[in-house]
Amino acid sequence: MIRVAFFDTKEYDRAAFAQYDDRSLLAFKFLETRLTEDTAALAKGSDVACVFVNDAVNRAVIDRLYANGVQVIALRCAGYNNVDVKYAFGKLRVVHVPAYSPHAVAEHAMAMLLTSVRRIHKAYNRTRDFNFSLNGLTGFDFYGKTVGVIGAGKIGRIFIDICRGFGMRILVYDKYPAGDNLEYTALEKLFACSDIISLHCPLTDETRHMIDAGAIAGMKKGVVIVNTSRGGLIDTEALLAGIKSRKIGAACLDVYEEEADIFFEDRSGHILNDDLLSRLISMPNVIVTSHQAFLTEEALNSIAEVTVNNIRSCFVNSGRCENELCDRCGRIGQ
Ligand code: NAI
């Protein structure tokens, strides 16, 4: 039997994974706590630590998991910037879910964008209060506008297709452009020409704060920025300054660089200690969702299925597991 310590469990995770908990092949220990240096000991007796986007799997955590007999870290998400994959090499195998529903994320990006530009969030609140005034609700047509997409991978490409449906011109920046007929351009030109910029590249040392004060200075006045990728892609202080100076017309944020201790929990009734996030949320042209883009039934079922297959594959195959990240750490075979 493979024993899995499941960190940062939410109700919706449990619902999707419970069907695989047959206690003969696979047994889950669902833990509500995040995986940290202090909680790593809870994985003692487990073969696998199953983690999510904000479980910080750093060196100390890896050492503790390893010392407690854990063999595999199973990320139930695509991004793995929160795991020190290189350090884990030779101790713990790391698997992830490369794609679960890229449609879920791309559709959420468009949902936020439409909500923001057509002021749906404001109209919803007004009409609930029987306020039928249209003042301040003027948006703009998407048709004919230019959208800059950074990262034309699985999610970016679906977002591009959705934008095409609106009759938008699409500029693309990708560090590894595929030989296709997308209109690839330099990042600076994308910044200068786009009415809307949507981020769909991974967070790496190179992409951290790719949207900073310098980048914002090179953008069109009134640009709308959409981030459903990772918070660290944006220097939040620079974003806030851009909003205050009216350079940025609106921001749609499903992710935030300091989200780890805030998102996914009900903090209503508490005083939020993060002044930057509070200020952003107070802005009339900022929409924040708390890392919700993936949250569809299809995506949750797919995450559960692929994670379970990844785990089984690690214990069945002596070679590399399915969806193992080790080949990307550059140390395979050493
Ligand atoms: P993907 O790997 O299919 O595509 C990423 C693209 O970014 C690739 O085309 C790659 O060439 C490009 N890229 C890599 N380095 C780059 C750089 N320095 N500059 C520009 N482009 C670069 O990944 P996928 O599935 O499309 O996911 C994209 C991101 O979305 C993930 O990294 C993850 O952070 C985020 N995500 C967010 C979710 C949410 O719920 N908000 C859920 C799932 C993913």
Side-chain angles (χ1 to χ4, degrees):
M1 188 175 61
I2 307 166
R3 288 152 304 177
V4 183
F6 198 101
F7 285 89
D8 202 9
T9 308
K10 298 285 183 285
E11 206 182 292
Y12 43 80
D13 295 315
R14 205 186 283 255
F17 277 84
Q19 58 181 311
Y20 298 101
D21 191 349
D22 60 7
R23 299 273 147 193
S24 56
L25 293 170
L26 210 59
F28 289 97
K29 178 161 86 171
F30 290 108
L31 302 161
E32 287 184 12
T33 181
R34 289 248 174 90
L35 174 60
T36 65
E37 223 176 306
D38 296 330
T39 63
L42 294 171
K44 194 174 171 67
S46 301
D47 309 292
V48 180
C50 184
V51 304
F52 197 49
V53 292
N54 289 324
D55 291 301
V57 191
N58 54 28
R59 289 174 174 225
V61 169
I62 288 167
D63 284 340
R64 292 213 176 173
L65 291 175
Y66 183 59
N68 280 303
V70 171
Q71 299 168 54
V72 173
I73 296 170
L75 281 148
R76 50 183 193 277
C77 53
Y80 47 89
N81 52 286
N82 54 323
V83 179
D84 192 334
V85 179
K86 283 193 179 177
Y87 187 74
F89 184 79
K91 298 187 181 74
L92 301 170
R93 304 171 85 174
V94 184
V95 288
H96 76 144
V97 183
Y100 25 99
S101 174
H103 293 276
V105 183
E107 288 170 14
H108 190 80
M110 181 48 82
M112 293 187 90
L113 188 54
L114 274 171
T115 302
S116 169
V117 171
R118 302 308 302 268
R119 316 279 195 265
I120 305 294
H121 53 311
K122 301 206 167 292
Y124 175 79
N125 283 332
R126 279 192 194 181
T127 54
R128 285 178 69 82
D129 208 21
F130 304 109
N131 173 356
F132 300 105
S133 159
L134 295 182
N135 289 334
L137 298 187
T138 308
F140 62 77
D141 288 10
F142 283 2
Y143 180 79
K145 293 295 185 304
T146 299
V147 58
V149 175
I150 301 181
K154 291 177 284 297
I155 296 169
R157 278 169 191 273
I158 294 168
F159 185 74
I160 288 169
D161 283 345
I162 294 172
C163 290
R164 282 202 181 114
F166 283 86
M168 290 194 253
R169 176 190 178 204
I170 294 128
L171 291 177
V172 177
Y173 171 74
D174 195 298
K175 193 175 176 201
Y176 309 101
D180 51 23
N181 59 0
L182 294 176
E183 192 175 344
Y184 289 101
T185 182
L187 199 50
E188 294 69 28
K189 185 173 170 208
L190 182 147
F191 289 151
C193 300
S194 301
D195 303 292
I196 295 159
I197 295 173
S198 194
L199 306 177
H200 300 287
C201 62
L203 177 64
T204 61
D205 289 344
E206 194 181 359
T207 60
R208 186 175 297 281
H209 286 188
M210 75 189 311
I211 306 295
D212 60 8
I216 292 168
M219 291 178 191
K220 270 188 166 180
K221 184 168 165 50
V223 62
V224 180
I225 297 178
V226 185
N227 189 7
T228 55
S229 196
R230 283 293 179 268
L233 295 174
I234 298 182
D235 174 347
T236 316
E237 290 197 19
L239 179 79
L240 184 60
I243 291 166
K244 281 161 118 178
S245 70
R246 318 294 197 265
K247 174 85 182 203
I248 293 172
C252 306
L253 309 174
D254 184 52
V255 285
Y256 167 58
E257 57 180 330
E258 301 300 332
E259 71 179 50
D261 293 328
I262 301 169
F263 280 15
F264 300 117
E265 304 298 333
D266 179 0
R267 305 206 181 274
S268 56
H270 294 259
I271 290 167
L272 193 64
N273 283 327
D274 188 318
D275 290 352
L276 209 48
L277 182 61
S278 303
R279 188 78 178 98
L280 274 176
I281 289 174
S282 77
M283 292 288 179
N285 52 354
V286 175
I287 296 181
V288 175
T289 52
S290 74
H291 210 133
Q292 179 189 332
F294 75 99
L295 197 64
T296 65
E297 277 182 28
E298 290 81 358
L300 288 172
N301 289 333
S302 174
I303 287 170
E305 188 184 344
V306 176
T307 303
V308 165
N309 284 341
N310 286 346
I311 292 171
R312 285 182 181 146
S313 148
C314 282
F315 291 91
V316 171
N317 302 332
S318 52
R320 192 155 61 83
C321 323
E322 216 174 313
N323 298 323
E324 187 165 359
L325 288 171
C326 205
D327 55 339
R328 301 195 190 186
C329 76
R331 296 175 63 180
I332 193 156
Q334 286 179 22

